[in-house]
Every structure is written in structure tokens, then in C-alpha cells.
Amino acid sequence: MKLSSEEKLRLKTSYGPWALITGASSGIGLELATRLAEAGLNVLLHGRRALALLRISQDLKERFAVQTDIVSADLATDDGVQELLQAARKKPIGLVIASAGFGTSGLFHQGNVADEVNMLRVNCEALMVLVHYFGNQFTRQNRGGIILLSSMVGFQGVPYAAHYAATKAYVQSLGEALAVELKPYGVDVLTAAPGPVSSGFEMRANLKMNMAMRPDQIAIPILKALGRQSTILPGFLTKFLVGSLRTVPRWAKVLIMQKVMGGMTAHQRIIEIV
Ligand SMILES: NC(=O)c1ccc[n+]([C@@H]2O[C@H](COP(=O)([O-])OP(=O)(O)OC[C@H]3O[C@@H](n4cnc5c(N)ncnc54)[C@H](OP(=O)(O)O)[C@@H]3O)[C@@H](O)[C@H]2O)c1
């Protein structure tokens, strides 16, 4: 999938000259950063793995003749969030994509609570601080774009990924409301809620996905939706999965998600073996 030249121009003129992409060292963030560089935006790439970011930064600079920079910061820490904001302050940023995030799986009460707190900090707290900062910046400039990564699991409770799904419900709700609050200031907010995507996510969340989209299958629809809608279910698989549950009551969706997620988590696989 490719962006048309008109789309590239629209993104560059509406949201350039710099874009900040958190979680750009892998998966969805990396794909979005690549497509933005291809559209001619300079990219500030964030992640924790500095070496991976340096390699990506060099690659994008050479392929697309744009300026690139990196910021390595752990968003589970206050210091990391401040480092990210400090790096962001040095660039004329017009677009922010909050893609950094991870999931946990299994029975919530049996998980490591420190991991859950870290996930809450990265997926919700750091994202909120970032969006608050850029909400102020962009409203002052009367322009800007914000893309938040929620998930289709954020639309109902999800047994065996209970807390991860709750963090994504937070992101979805925040994004929907900010799209309305910031619109009069000329600031576009888009919340993207993908279904399963193959990336580093699966391994970190200890999940086994039976079907998944590639990051390139969702990146272009997400970028095209910015400024045109407030939520996107990117990719055919996402639309199919969410659409097939549309008429199901919320309590029943939770039970269906229990089945779906149960088949994907180590917890359920262990029960089946035993
Ligand atoms: N994959 C899916 O099925 C799926 C579906 C719906 C929504 N999402 C959401 O999409 C977003 C991107 O996920 P992905 O699929 O692209 O996963 P991924 O390939 O694992 O990428 C996650 C990114 O987040 C960064 N990150 C993780 N923990 C961090 C921390 N403590 N501090 C700073 N950065 C951190 C990682 O950087 P380092 O590796 O350098 O630390 C990496 O760049 C996430 O918010 C995820 O919840 C994913």
C-alpha cells in the first residue's frame, strides 16, 4: 500500500515539518514513521533501544532525504517522559503519534503487579502527559495532528488481557473526547483501534495470534483518516472482527473475547495441556 502524492502533500503541509513518533523502533510506530518520512516529513523517532533507532534514523534519512533524529527514553519512568518532552521541544513538531505501548496477558491477579504498573504508565500516563503538552502547543499554533493507538480490545472487557484492554479503553475514550475539544482550535485528533497486528507486541505480551495483519496494511489507512474522522478501525480484519460483534450485547462480547483471548494466551494453553 502506498500514499498518493496528494496525500503526501496534504500530510506534509497540514502536519509538517516534523513528526514525533513514540514507539518508532518497531511494528506499527516504525511503519507510520517510514510512511511519514516517505511523505517528506522530518521524523523524531522515539523508543528505548537507541541502536535500533539509530539504524532506522540513518535508513530513513538516506531513503527519503528528510531530517531525522532519535530520542531514547523509557516511558515507564518520570525521567523518561521528561527526556522525551525535552527532545520534542527542540523541533517544530506538527504531528504526534503515540504508538509506544505493550500488553500483558493471563489471569490479572496472577500477573506481576510491577509489570502492570509499568504498562499503565507507558500506555496511559506517559501518553496523557504527551498529549497534554502537545494539546497546548498545537492549540496555540492553531494547527497540528495527534494520533493515538488504542485497540479493538478497548471496546469491551477482555478476560486474560483485562488490564491491557482497560488501558486501551482509556486511550480510546481520551482520544474521542479530545477530537471534539481540539477541533475548534484546528487540531486533528485520531484514535486508531487496530485488531491483531504482527509486530514485537505478540512476544512481549506472551500471546500467540492465529491471524494478524501486517503493520503496512494499517499504516496508510490510519494516515489517510487523520483530519477526516476521529476513530479508525484500520484494516479489513479489524473491520470484520469489530463489525461481526456490532449487534452483540456488551456482556456477551466479553464472553466472546474470553474465548478468543483464551486461545491466544499461555494461561489457557497450560490449562488445555493439563
Ligand atoms: N500489535 C497489535 O496486535 C496491536 C493491536 C492494537 C493496538 N496495538 C497498539 O499499537 C501500539 C504499537 O504496538 P506494536 O504492535 O507496534 O508493538 P511493538 O512492535 O512491540 O512496538 C512497541 C513500541 O513501543 C515501545 N515501547 C515499549 N515499552 C516502552 C517503554 N517502557 N518506554 C518507551 N517505549 C516503549 C517499543 O520500543 P523499544 O522496543 O525500543 O523499547 C516499541 O517501539 C501499542 O500501543 C499497542 O498497544 C497493537
Side-chain angles (χ1 to χ4, degrees), residues 131-169:
V131 171
H132 186 268
Y133 173 77
F134 279 102
N136 275 293
Q137 290 291 112
F138 291 166
T139 49
R140 271 199 289 273
Q141 296 164 10
N142 282 304
R143 76 189 282 274
I146 297 172
I147 300 178
L148 306 180
L149 263 297
S150 68
S151 166
M152 65 166 275
V153 302
F155 297 127
Q156 68 287 297
V158 179
Y160 313 127
H163 188 215
Y164 172 66
T167 69
K168 292 297 161 177

PDB file of all heavy atoms in Angstrom, residues 131-169:
ATOM      1  N   VAL A 131       0.139  14.137  25.321  1.00  0.00           N
ATOM      2  CA  VAL A 131      -0.994  14.757  24.628  1.00  0.00           C
ATOM      3  C   VAL A 131      -1.369  16.089  25.294  1.00  0.00           C
ATOM      4  O   VAL A 131      -1.764  17.037  24.618  1.00  0.00           O
ATOM      5  CB  VAL A 131      -2.186  13.774  24.596  1.00  0.00           C
ATOM      6  CG1 VAL A 131      -3.436  14.446  24.092  1.00  0.00           C
ATOM      7  CG2 VAL A 131      -1.849  12.587  23.718  1.00  0.00           C
ATOM      8  N   HIS A 132      -1.210  16.172  26.599  1.00  0.00           N
ATOM      9  CA  HIS A 132      -1.482  17.429  27.291  1.00  0.00           C
ATOM     10  C   HIS A 132      -0.505  18.503  26.810  1.00  0.00           C
ATOM     11  O   HIS A 132      -0.899  19.634  26.485  1.00  0.00           O
ATOM     12  CB  HIS A 132      -1.362  17.234  28.810  1.00  0.00           C
ATOM     13  CG  HIS A 132      -1.763  18.439  29.602  1.00  0.00           C
ATOM     14  ND1 HIS A 132      -0.866  19.411  29.989  1.00  0.00           N
ATOM     15  CD2 HIS A 132      -2.975  18.845  30.041  1.00  0.00           C
ATOM     16  CE1 HIS A 132      -1.505  20.358  30.651  1.00  0.00           C
ATOM     17  NE2 HIS A 132      -2.784  20.041  30.699  1.00  0.00           N
ATOM     18  N   TYR A 133       0.783  18.136  26.751  1.00  0.00           N
ATOM     19  CA  TYR A 133       1.801  19.092  26.294  1.00  0.00           C
ATOM     20  C   TYR A 133       1.491  19.555  24.860  1.00  0.00           C
ATOM     21  O   TYR A 133       1.447  20.763  24.583  1.00  0.00           O
ATOM     22  CB  TYR A 133       3.197  18.450  26.367  1.00  0.00           C
ATOM     23  CG  TYR A 133       4.258  19.319  25.757  1.00  0.00           C
ATOM     24  CD1 TYR A 133       4.752  20.430  26.441  1.00  0.00           C
ATOM     25  CD2 TYR A 133       4.737  19.059  24.468  1.00  0.00           C
ATOM     26  CE1 TYR A 133       5.707  21.260  25.857  1.00  0.00           C
ATOM     27  CE2 TYR A 133       5.687  19.881  23.886  1.00  0.00           C
ATOM     28  CZ  TYR A 133       6.169  20.978  24.576  1.00  0.00           C
ATOM     29  OH  TYR A 133       7.099  21.806  24.007  1.00  0.00           O
ATOM     30  N   PHE A 134       1.257  18.593  23.961  1.00  0.00           N
ATOM     31  CA  PHE A 134       1.040  18.983  22.567  1.00  0.00           C
ATOM     32  C   PHE A 134      -0.341  19.593  22.346  1.00  0.00           C
ATOM     33  O   PHE A 134      -0.527  20.381  21.412  1.00  0.00           O
ATOM     34  CB  PHE A 134       1.308  17.805  21.625  1.00  0.00           C
ATOM     35  CG  PHE A 134       2.781  17.646  21.361  1.00  0.00           C
ATOM     36  CD1 PHE A 134       3.515  16.676  21.988  1.00  0.00           C
ATOM     37  CD2 PHE A 134       3.440  18.539  20.523  1.00  0.00           C
ATOM     38  CE1 PHE A 134       4.878  16.563  21.771  1.00  0.00           C
ATOM     39  CE2 PHE A 134       4.808  18.440  20.300  1.00  0.00           C
ATOM     40  CZ  PHE A 134       5.533  17.452  20.928  1.00  0.00           C
ATOM     41  N   GLY A 135      -1.299  19.255  23.201  1.00  0.00           N
ATOM     42  CA  GLY A 135      -2.597  19.937  23.117  1.00  0.00           C
ATOM     43  C   GLY A 135      -2.395  21.437  23.299  1.00  0.00           C
ATOM     44  O   GLY A 135      -2.957  22.258  22.562  1.00  0.00           O
ATOM     45  N   ASN A 136      -1.548  21.813  24.269  1.00  0.00           N
ATOM     46  CA  ASN A 136      -1.240  23.229  24.498  1.00  0.00           C
ATOM     47  C   ASN A 136      -0.470  23.844  23.331  1.00  0.00           C
ATOM     48  O   ASN A 136      -0.796  24.936  22.863  1.00  0.00           O
ATOM     49  CB  ASN A 136      -0.422  23.385  25.778  1.00  0.00           C
ATOM     50  CG  ASN A 136      -1.325  23.455  26.983  1.00  0.00           C
ATOM     51  OD1 ASN A 136      -2.064  24.417  27.136  1.00  0.00           O
ATOM     52  ND2 ASN A 136      -1.304  22.442  27.806  1.00  0.00           N
ATOM     53  N   GLN A 137       0.570  23.129  22.885  1.00  0.00           N
ATOM     54  CA  GLN A 137       1.379  23.638  21.770  1.00  0.00           C
ATOM     55  C   GLN A 137       0.529  23.867  20.528  1.00  0.00           C
ATOM     56  O   GLN A 137       0.577  24.930  19.910  1.00  0.00           O
ATOM     57  CB  GLN A 137       2.482  22.613  21.401  1.00  0.00           C
ATOM     58  CG  GLN A 137       3.567  22.462  22.411  1.00  0.00           C
ATOM     59  CD  GLN A 137       4.419  23.717  22.470  1.00  0.00           C
ATOM     60  OE1 GLN A 137       4.384  24.418  23.475  1.00  0.00           O
ATOM     61  NE2 GLN A 137       5.126  24.025  21.411  1.00  0.00           N
ATOM     62  N   PHE A 138      -0.225  22.843  20.165  1.00  0.00           N
ATOM     63  CA  PHE A 138      -0.963  22.879  18.899  1.00  0.00           C
ATOM     64  C   PHE A 138      -2.116  23.888  18.932  1.00  0.00           C
ATOM     65  O   PHE A 138      -2.402  24.532  17.930  1.00  0.00           O
ATOM     66  CB  PHE A 138      -1.488  21.484  18.547  1.00  0.00           C
ATOM     67  CG  PHE A 138      -0.409  20.475  18.172  1.00  0.00           C
ATOM     68  CD1 PHE A 138      -0.692  19.112  18.111  1.00  0.00           C
ATOM     69  CD2 PHE A 138       0.882  20.886  17.867  1.00  0.00           C
ATOM     70  CE1 PHE A 138       0.293  18.190  17.769  1.00  0.00           C
ATOM     71  CE2 PHE A 138       1.876  19.972  17.513  1.00  0.00           C
ATOM     72  CZ  PHE A 138       1.583  18.622  17.466  1.00  0.00           C
ATOM     73  N   THR A 139      -2.785  24.026  20.087  1.00  0.00           N
ATOM     74  CA  THR A 139      -3.891  24.989  20.128  1.00  0.00           C
ATOM     75  C   THR A 139      -3.342  26.408  20.000  1.00  0.00           C
ATOM     76  O   THR A 139      -3.979  27.277  19.407  1.00  0.00           O
ATOM     77  CB  THR A 139      -4.735  24.860  21.418  1.00  0.00           C
ATOM     78  OG1 THR A 139      -3.867  24.837  22.550  1.00  0.00           O
ATOM     79  CG2 THR A 139      -5.591  23.618  21.417  1.00  0.00           C
ATOM     80  N   ARG A 140      -2.136  26.642  20.544  1.00  0.00           N
ATOM     81  CA  ARG A 140      -1.510  27.971  20.392  1.00  0.00           C
ATOM     82  C   ARG A 140      -1.189  28.246  18.919  1.00  0.00           C
ATOM     83  O   ARG A 140      -1.295  29.364  18.452  1.00  0.00           O
ATOM     84  CB  ARG A 140      -0.228  28.060  21.219  1.00  0.00           C
ATOM     85  CG  ARG A 140      -0.473  28.552  22.636  1.00  0.00           C
ATOM     86  CD  ARG A 140       0.805  29.064  23.276  1.00  0.00           C
ATOM     87  NE  ARG A 140       1.720  27.993  23.585  1.00  0.00           N
ATOM     88  CZ  ARG A 140       1.704  27.284  24.717  1.00  0.00           C
ATOM     89  NH1 ARG A 140       0.840  27.566  25.663  1.00  0.00           N
ATOM     90  NH2 ARG A 140       2.554  26.320  24.933  1.00  0.00           N
ATOM     91  N   GLN A 141      -0.796  27.180  18.198  1.00  0.00           N
ATOM     92  CA  GLN A 141      -0.416  27.339  16.782  1.00  0.00           C
ATOM     93  C   GLN A 141      -1.632  27.266  15.854  1.00  0.00           C
ATOM     94  O   GLN A 141      -1.508  27.506  14.660  1.00  0.00           O
ATOM     95  CB  GLN A 141       0.543  26.217  16.375  1.00  0.00           C
ATOM     96  CG  GLN A 141       1.871  26.224  17.106  1.00  0.00           C
ATOM     97  CD  GLN A 141       2.618  24.882  16.955  1.00  0.00           C
ATOM     98  OE1 GLN A 141       2.241  24.018  16.179  1.00  0.00           O
ATOM     99  NE2 GLN A 141       3.690  24.725  17.711  1.00  0.00           N
ATOM    100  N   ASN A 142      -2.790  26.890  16.407  1.00  0.00           N
ATOM    101  CA  ASN A 142      -3.987  26.655  15.595  1.00  0.00           C
ATOM    102  C   ASN A 142      -3.777  25.656  14.473  1.00  0.00           C
ATOM    103  O   ASN A 142      -4.372  25.764  13.396  1.00  0.00           O
ATOM    104  CB  ASN A 142      -4.529  27.973  15.027  1.00  0.00           C
ATOM    105  CG  ASN A 142      -5.297  28.723  16.080  1.00  0.00           C
ATOM    106  OD1 ASN A 142      -6.245  28.195  16.658  1.00  0.00           O
ATOM    107  ND2 ASN A 142      -4.865  29.935  16.357  1.00  0.00           N
ATOM    108  N   ARG A 143      -2.942  24.703  14.696  1.00  0.00           N
ATOM    109  CA  ARG A 143      -2.760  23.589  13.757  1.00  0.00           C
ATOM    110  C   ARG A 143      -2.053  22.444  14.475  1.00  0.00           C
ATOM    111  O   ARG A 143      -1.397  22.660  15.495  1.00  0.00           O
ATOM    112  CB  ARG A 143      -1.968  24.008  12.513  1.00  0.00           C
ATOM    113  CG  ARG A 143      -0.473  24.159  12.729  1.00  0.00           C
ATOM    114  CD  ARG A 143       0.224  24.776  11.527  1.00  0.00           C
ATOM    115  NE  ARG A 143       0.456  23.860  10.433  1.00  0.00           N
ATOM    116  CZ  ARG A 143       1.512  23.062  10.309  1.00  0.00           C
ATOM    117  NH1 ARG A 143       2.443  23.030  11.235  1.00  0.00           N
ATOM    118  NH2 ARG A 143       1.658  22.292   9.251  1.00  0.00           N
ATOM    119  N   GLY A 144      -2.200  21.264  13.912  1.00  0.00           N
ATOM    120  CA  GLY A 144      -1.490  20.113  14.471  1.00  0.00           C
ATOM    121  C   GLY A 144      -2.320  18.845  14.347  1.00  0.00           C
ATOM    122  O   GLY A 144      -3.519  18.893  14.092  1.00  0.00           O
ATOM    123  N   GLY A 145      -1.652  17.727  14.520  1.00  0.00           N
ATOM    124  CA  GLY A 145      -2.321  16.425  14.448  1.00  0.00           C
ATOM    125  C   GLY A 145      -1.824  15.523  15.562  1.00  0.00           C
ATOM    126  O   GLY A 145      -0.655  15.574  15.940  1.00  0.00           O
ATOM    127  N   ILE A 146      -2.738  14.722  16.100  1.00  0.00           N
ATOM    128  CA  ILE A 146      -2.395  13.772  17.164  1.00  0.00           C
ATOM    129  C   ILE A 146      -3.026  12.427  16.799  1.00  0.00           C
ATOM    130  O   ILE A 146      -4.226  12.363  16.516  1.00  0.00           O
ATOM    131  CB  ILE A 146      -2.957  14.254  18.530  1.00  0.00           C
ATOM    132  CG1 ILE A 146      -2.313  15.581  18.942  1.00  0.00           C
ATOM    133  CG2 ILE A 146      -2.743  13.188  19.604  1.00  0.00           C
ATOM    134  CD1 ILE A 146      -2.926  16.231  20.179  1.00  0.00           C
ATOM    135  N   ILE A 147      -2.205  11.386  16.770  1.00  0.00           N
ATOM    136  CA  ILE A 147      -2.737  10.039  16.523  1.00  0.00           C
ATOM    137  C   ILE A 147      -2.425   9.167  17.740  1.00  0.00           C
ATOM    138  O   ILE A 147      -1.270   9.068  18.161  1.00  0.00           O
ATOM    139  CB  ILE A 147      -2.118   9.397  15.260  1.00  0.00           C
ATOM    140  CG1 ILE A 147      -2.420  10.240  14.020  1.00  0.00           C
ATOM    141  CG2 ILE A 147      -2.650   7.974  15.072  1.00  0.00           C
ATOM    142  CD1 ILE A 147      -1.815   9.708  12.728  1.00  0.00           C
ATOM    143  N   LEU A 148      -3.472   8.566  18.300  1.00  0.00           N
ATOM    144  CA  LEU A 148      -3.305   7.690  19.463  1.00  0.00           C
ATOM    145  C   LEU A 148      -3.604   6.248  19.041  1.00  0.00           C
ATOM    146  O   LEU A 148      -4.557   6.003  18.295  1.00  0.00           O
ATOM    147  CB  LEU A 148      -4.283   8.088  20.578  1.00  0.00           C
ATOM    148  CG  LEU A 148      -4.252   9.553  21.024  1.00  0.00           C
ATOM    149  CD1 LEU A 148      -5.276   9.781  22.137  1.00  0.00           C
ATOM    150  CD2 LEU A 148      -2.854   9.946  21.486  1.00  0.00           C
ATOM    151  N   LEU A 149      -2.798   5.318  19.552  1.00  0.00           N
ATOM    152  CA  LEU A 149      -3.051   3.911  19.266  1.00  0.00           C
ATOM    153  C   LEU A 149      -3.834   3.296  20.409  1.00  0.00           C
ATOM    154  O   LEU A 149      -3.288   3.094  21.506  1.00  0.00           O
ATOM    155  CB  LEU A 149      -1.722   3.172  19.079  1.00  0.00           C
ATOM    156  CG  LEU A 149      -1.215   2.970  17.647  1.00  0.00           C
ATOM    157  CD1 LEU A 149      -2.162   2.092  16.830  1.00  0.00           C
ATOM    158  CD2 LEU A 149      -1.004   4.288  16.927  1.00  0.00           C
ATOM    159  N   SER A 150      -5.136   3.068  20.169  1.00  0.00           N
ATOM    160  CA  SER A 150      -5.906   2.279  21.139  1.00  0.00           C
ATOM    161  C   SER A 150      -5.918   0.845  20.604  1.00  0.00           C
ATOM    162  O   SER A 150      -4.886   0.367  20.119  1.00  0.00           O
ATOM    163  CB  SER A 150      -7.310   2.858  21.334  1.00  0.00           C
ATOM    164  OG  SER A 150      -8.090   2.698  20.183  1.00  0.00           O
ATOM    165  N   SER A 151      -7.036   0.168  20.608  1.00  0.00           N
ATOM    166  CA  SER A 151      -7.089  -1.211  20.107  1.00  0.00           C
ATOM    167  C   SER A 151      -8.543  -1.636  20.073  1.00  0.00           C
ATOM    168  O   SER A 151      -9.366  -1.105  20.832  1.00  0.00           O
ATOM    169  CB  SER A 151      -6.320  -2.134  21.046  1.00  0.00           C
ATOM    170  OG  SER A 151      -6.635  -3.491  20.762  1.00  0.00           O
ATOM    171  N   MET A 152      -8.850  -2.632  19.236  1.00  0.00           N
ATOM    172  CA  MET A 152     -10.235  -3.143  19.252  1.00  0.00           C
ATOM    173  C   MET A 152     -10.558  -3.807  20.599  1.00  0.00           C
ATOM    174  O   MET A 152     -11.718  -3.945  20.946  1.00  0.00           O
ATOM    175  CB  MET A 152     -10.489  -4.109  18.091  1.00  0.00           C
ATOM    176  CG  MET A 152      -9.699  -5.374  18.132  1.00  0.00           C
ATOM    177  SD  MET A 152     -10.324  -6.613  16.972  1.00  0.00           S
ATOM    178  CE  MET A 152     -11.616  -7.375  17.957  1.00  0.00           C
ATOM    179  N   VAL A 153      -9.534  -4.181  21.368  1.00  0.00           N
ATOM    180  CA  VAL A 153      -9.831  -4.761  22.688  1.00  0.00           C
ATOM    181  C   VAL A 153     -10.309  -3.692  23.677  1.00  0.00           C
ATOM    182  O   VAL A 153     -10.782  -4.018  24.761  1.00  0.00           O
ATOM    183  CB  VAL A 153      -8.628  -5.543  23.296  1.00  0.00           C
ATOM    184  CG1 VAL A 153      -8.176  -6.667  22.386  1.00  0.00           C
ATOM    185  CG2 VAL A 153      -7.475  -4.622  23.656  1.00  0.00           C
ATOM    186  N   GLY A 154     -10.191  -2.423  23.289  1.00  0.00           N
ATOM    187  CA  GLY A 154     -10.610  -1.333  24.180  1.00  0.00           C
ATOM    188  C   GLY A 154     -12.117  -1.088  24.179  1.00  0.00           C
ATOM    189  O   GLY A 154     -12.602  -0.244  24.928  1.00  0.00           O
ATOM    190  N   PHE A 155     -12.863  -1.839  23.348  1.00  0.00           N
ATOM    191  CA  PHE A 155     -14.310  -1.585  23.251  1.00  0.00           C
ATOM    192  C   PHE A 155     -15.151  -2.426  24.205  1.00  0.00           C
ATOM    193  O   PHE A 155     -16.364  -2.285  24.254  1.00  0.00           O
ATOM    194  CB  PHE A 155     -14.792  -1.804  21.807  1.00  0.00           C
ATOM    195  CG  PHE A 155     -14.169  -0.834  20.817  1.00  0.00           C
ATOM    196  CD1 PHE A 155     -13.531  -1.305  19.688  1.00  0.00           C
ATOM    197  CD2 PHE A 155     -14.216   0.527  21.029  1.00  0.00           C
ATOM    198  CE1 PHE A 155     -12.957  -0.426  18.779  1.00  0.00           C
ATOM    199  CE2 PHE A 155     -13.649   1.423  20.126  1.00  0.00           C
ATOM    200  CZ  PHE A 155     -13.009   0.946  19.001  1.00  0.00           C
ATOM    201  N   GLN A 156     -14.525  -3.330  24.938  1.00  0.00           N
ATOM    202  CA  GLN A 156     -15.224  -4.132  25.958  1.00  0.00           C
ATOM    203  C   GLN A 156     -14.164  -4.772  26.846  1.00  0.00           C
ATOM    204  O   GLN A 156     -12.985  -4.762  26.523  1.00  0.00           O
ATOM    205  CB  GLN A 156     -16.104  -5.234  25.320  1.00  0.00           C
ATOM    206  CG  GLN A 156     -15.329  -6.347  24.626  1.00  0.00           C
ATOM    207  CD  GLN A 156     -14.706  -5.922  23.336  1.00  0.00           C
ATOM    208  OE1 GLN A 156     -15.419  -5.560  22.422  1.00  0.00           O
ATOM    209  NE2 GLN A 156     -13.380  -5.951  23.244  1.00  0.00           N
ATOM    210  N   GLY A 157     -14.600  -5.329  27.967  1.00  0.00           N
ATOM    211  CA  GLY A 157     -13.669  -6.044  28.837  1.00  0.00           C
ATOM    212  C   GLY A 157     -13.128  -7.283  28.124  1.00  0.00           C
ATOM    213  O   GLY A 157     -13.841  -7.900  27.324  1.00  0.00           O
ATOM    214  N   VAL A 158     -11.864  -7.616  28.389  1.00  0.00           N
ATOM    215  CA  VAL A 158     -11.252  -8.767  27.719  1.00  0.00           C
ATOM    216  C   VAL A 158     -10.564  -9.675  28.752  1.00  0.00           C
ATOM    217  O   VAL A 158      -9.448  -9.374  29.190  1.00  0.00           O
ATOM    218  CB  VAL A 158     -10.230  -8.302  26.636  1.00  0.00           C
ATOM    219  CG1 VAL A 158      -9.589  -9.513  25.956  1.00  0.00           C
ATOM    220  CG2 VAL A 158     -10.898  -7.415  25.609  1.00  0.00           C
ATOM    221  N   PRO A 159     -11.233 -10.757  29.156  1.00  0.00           N
ATOM    222  CA  PRO A 159     -10.610 -11.691  30.089  1.00  0.00           C
ATOM    223  C   PRO A 159      -9.278 -12.199  29.533  1.00  0.00           C
ATOM    224  O   PRO A 159      -9.151 -12.434  28.334  1.00  0.00           O
ATOM    225  CB  PRO A 159     -11.629 -12.837  30.178  1.00  0.00           C
ATOM    226  CG  PRO A 159     -12.934 -12.198  29.833  1.00  0.00           C
ATOM    227  CD  PRO A 159     -12.622 -11.149  28.809  1.00  0.00           C
ATOM    228  N   TYR A 160      -8.303 -12.366  30.386  1.00  0.00           N
ATOM    229  CA  TYR A 160      -6.925 -12.805  30.073  1.00  0.00           C
ATOM    230  C   TYR A 160      -6.065 -11.696  29.451  1.00  0.00           C
ATOM    231  O   TYR A 160      -4.897 -11.924  29.153  1.00  0.00           O
ATOM    232  CB  TYR A 160      -6.875 -14.062  29.191  1.00  0.00           C
ATOM    233  CG  TYR A 160      -7.792 -15.163  29.674  1.00  0.00           C
ATOM    234  CD1 TYR A 160      -8.708 -15.748  28.804  1.00  0.00           C
ATOM    235  CD2 TYR A 160      -7.761 -15.591  30.999  1.00  0.00           C
ATOM    236  CE1 TYR A 160      -9.574 -16.734  29.244  1.00  0.00           C
ATOM    237  CE2 TYR A 160      -8.618 -16.575  31.449  1.00  0.00           C
ATOM    238  CZ  TYR A 160      -9.526 -17.135  30.582  1.00  0.00           C
ATOM    239  OH  TYR A 160     -10.390 -18.104  31.025  1.00  0.00           O
ATOM    240  N   ALA A 161      -6.680 -10.541  29.187  1.00  0.00           N
ATOM    241  CA  ALA A 161      -5.880  -9.358  28.832  1.00  0.00           C
ATOM    242  C   ALA A 161      -6.623  -8.183  29.469  1.00  0.00           C
ATOM    243  O   ALA A 161      -6.787  -7.123  28.877  1.00  0.00           O
ATOM    244  CB  ALA A 161      -5.757  -9.174  27.331  1.00  0.00           C
ATOM    245  N   ALA A 162      -7.102  -8.411  30.694  1.00  0.00           N
ATOM    246  CA  ALA A 162      -8.038  -7.498  31.354  1.00  0.00           C
ATOM    247  C   ALA A 162      -7.455  -6.098  31.500  1.00  0.00           C
ATOM    248  O   ALA A 162      -8.101  -5.095  31.152  1.00  0.00           O
ATOM    249  CB  ALA A 162      -8.417  -8.055  32.726  1.00  0.00           C
ATOM    250  N   HIS A 163      -6.222  -6.034  32.000  1.00  0.00           N
ATOM    251  CA  HIS A 163      -5.660  -4.715  32.269  1.00  0.00           C
ATOM    252  C   HIS A 163      -5.182  -4.049  30.986  1.00  0.00           C
ATOM    253  O   HIS A 163      -5.341  -2.834  30.810  1.00  0.00           O
ATOM    254  CB  HIS A 163      -4.514  -4.825  33.296  1.00  0.00           C
ATOM    255  CG  HIS A 163      -4.027  -3.498  33.747  1.00  0.00           C
ATOM    256  ND1 HIS A 163      -2.712  -3.247  34.051  1.00  0.00           N
ATOM    257  CD2 HIS A 163      -4.677  -2.319  33.917  1.00  0.00           C
ATOM    258  CE1 HIS A 163      -2.577  -1.980  34.402  1.00  0.00           C
ATOM    259  NE2 HIS A 163      -3.756  -1.399  34.327  1.00  0.00           N
ATOM    260  N   TYR A 164      -4.610  -4.819  30.061  1.00  0.00           N
ATOM    261  CA  TYR A 164      -4.205  -4.239  28.773  1.00  0.00           C
ATOM    262  C   TYR A 164      -5.437  -3.622  28.082  1.00  0.00           C
ATOM    263  O   TYR A 164      -5.390  -2.478  27.617  1.00  0.00           O
ATOM    264  CB  TYR A 164      -3.557  -5.296  27.873  1.00  0.00           C
ATOM    265  CG  TYR A 164      -3.311  -4.776  26.476  1.00  0.00           C
ATOM    266  CD1 TYR A 164      -2.397  -3.742  26.255  1.00  0.00           C
ATOM    267  CD2 TYR A 164      -4.011  -5.275  25.376  1.00  0.00           C
ATOM    268  CE1 TYR A 164      -2.186  -3.229  24.976  1.00  0.00           C
ATOM    269  CE2 TYR A 164      -3.799  -4.773  24.100  1.00  0.00           C
ATOM    270  CZ  TYR A 164      -2.887  -3.747  23.908  1.00  0.00           C
ATOM    271  OH  TYR A 164      -2.696  -3.228  22.649  1.00  0.00           O
ATOM    272  N   ALA A 165      -6.532  -4.385  28.037  1.00  0.00           N
ATOM    273  CA  ALA A 165      -7.747  -3.874  27.388  1.00  0.00           C
ATOM    274  C   ALA A 165      -8.235  -2.608  28.094  1.00  0.00           C
ATOM    275  O   ALA A 165      -8.699  -1.662  27.447  1.00  0.00           O
ATOM    276  CB  ALA A 165      -8.832  -4.940  27.389  1.00  0.00           C
ATOM    277  N   ALA A 166      -8.094  -2.575  29.419  1.00  0.00           N
ATOM    278  CA  ALA A 166      -8.529  -1.381  30.169  1.00  0.00           C
ATOM    279  C   ALA A 166      -7.665  -0.175  29.805  1.00  0.00           C
ATOM    280  O   ALA A 166      -8.174   0.946  29.688  1.00  0.00           O
ATOM    281  CB  ALA A 166      -8.460  -1.662  31.676  1.00  0.00           C
ATOM    282  N   THR A 167      -6.359  -0.387  29.593  1.00  0.00           N
ATOM    283  CA  THR A 167      -5.510   0.761  29.207  1.00  0.00           C
ATOM    284  C   THR A 167      -5.933   1.287  27.841  1.00  0.00           C
ATOM    285  O   THR A 167      -5.884   2.491  27.578  1.00  0.00           O
ATOM    286  CB  THR A 167      -3.995   0.410  29.173  1.00  0.00           C
ATOM    287  OG1 THR A 167      -3.702  -0.486  28.096  1.00  0.00           O
ATOM    288  CG2 THR A 167      -3.502  -0.161  30.481  1.00  0.00           C
ATOM    289  N   LYS A 168      -6.364   0.382  26.962  1.00  0.00           N
ATOM    290  CA  LYS A 168      -6.747   0.810  25.613  1.00  0.00           C
ATOM    291  C   LYS A 168      -8.128   1.479  25.609  1.00  0.00           C
ATOM    292  O   LYS A 168      -8.408   2.347  24.782  1.00  0.00           O
ATOM    293  CB  LYS A 168      -6.679  -0.373  24.649  1.00  0.00           C
ATOM    294  CG  LYS A 168      -5.246  -0.848  24.418  1.00  0.00           C
ATOM    295  CD  LYS A 168      -4.410   0.253  23.767  1.00  0.00           C
ATOM    296  CE  LYS A 168      -2.938   0.093  23.903  1.00  0.00           C
ATOM    297  NZ  LYS A 168      -2.143   1.107  23.226  1.00  0.00           N
ATOM    298  N   ALA A 169      -9.002   1.073  26.562  1.00  0.00           N
ATOM    299  CA  ALA A 169     -10.290   1.765  26.716  1.00  0.00           C
ATOM    300  C   ALA A 169     -10.040   3.209  27.150  1.00  0.00           C
ATOM    301  O   ALA A 169     -10.712   4.147  26.704  1.00  0.00           O
ATOM    302  CB  ALA A 169     -11.153   1.036  27.743  1.00  0.00           C
TER     303      ALA A 169
END
